[in-house]
Amino acid sequence: MLPIHAALLLGSFVVTASLAVSGLAIARHARSHSDRKAWLLLALAAPSLGVGAMGAVIVPMLWRGCLMFTRFDVHLSLLILAVESALGISALFITYWRARQAAGRLVAIAEPCDDARVRRLLFALCTRMRVALPRVCCVMAERPVAFVTGIFAPRLVLSTWLLAELDDEELEALLAHELV
């Protein structure tokens, strides 16, 4: 028979894994980008939530020396927590790596942006915010794309769609958001 604490952790692991897999499956069929993003965030957060919830229950019991723990239960409980923690850290690392890869691909196809309106708005914002002026690149895209990449040499990437569709006020708000 499985010890009670290990059974609780294993149940948490099954619920967490089910949440993550369901979130991924639902995200794959989501119609809008915001819906897809919300479901992916749930799938990404599920392992951390599971470890946090069950760790908050089990670790204090271990610390205080719960009388229901056997040596096997302690080892199995710690093993389950370690596996679930490793899965959570792996999910975060994979998500970070995929985002870096996507940003790298976009930056690779981006070209320097010579839009006078962007330069004027960006210079005014950088002066007001007292931040360094990033390099600005444009990417040909039929949808809104805006992000900043790089720590030591920041690069602001904007899609041509944004430059064509946004007025000065909207573009200034977008640039301020990216600078922050």
Side-chain angles (χ1 to χ4, degrees), residues 85-98:
S85 297
L87 288 173
I89 290 168
S90 298
L92 289 172
F93 176 76
I94 289 169
T95 301
Y96 169 78
W97 181 75
R98 288 181 66 198

Side-chain angles (χ1 to χ4, degrees), residues 113 115-126 128-129 131-137 145-148 156-159 162-163 166-180:
C113 185
D115 191 282
R117 181 174 67 135
V118 171
R119 273 189 278 128
R120 177 179 47 83
L121 291 171
L122 198 56
F123 183 77
L125 281 169
C126 287
R128 236 182 309 159
M129 297 169 76
V131 297
L133 192 66
R135 288 186 299 172
V136 182
C137 298
V145 174
F147 65 93
V148 174
L156 172 64
V157 178
L158 301 170
S159 67
L162 287 171
L163 300 177
L166 298 183
D167 63 18
D168 282 359
E169 191 175 291
E170 293 168 330
L171 187 59
E172 184 178 22
L174 176 110
L175 292 172
H177 171 80
E178 294 303 328
L179 286 175
V180 168

Side-chain angles (χ1 to χ4, degrees), residues 39-124:
W39 286 108
L40 287 174
L41 184 61
L42 172 70
L44 182 62
S48 300
L49 293 173
V51 168
M54 290 315 291
V57 171
I58 297 296
V59 171
M61 289 177 162
L62 280 170
W63 194 262
R64 284 182 275 157
C66 179
L67 296 176
M68 294 179 66
F69 272 112
T70 63
R71 185 174 299 279
F72 175 71
D73 195 15
V74 170
H75 293 289
L76 189 58
S77 296
L78 290 175
L79 177 69
I80 292 169
L81 275 175
V83 167
E84 198 164 353
S85 297
L87 288 173
I89 290 168
S90 298
L92 289 172
F93 176 76
I94 289 169
T95 301
Y96 169 78
W97 181 75
R98 288 181 66 198
R100 295 288 302 166
Q101 292 292 323
R105 284 189 209 109
L106 279 173
V107 167
I109 63 171
E111 298 176 359
C113 185
D114 294 330
D115 191 282
R117 181 174 67 135
V118 171
R119 273 189 278 128
R120 177 179 47 83
L121 291 171
L122 198 56
F123 183 77

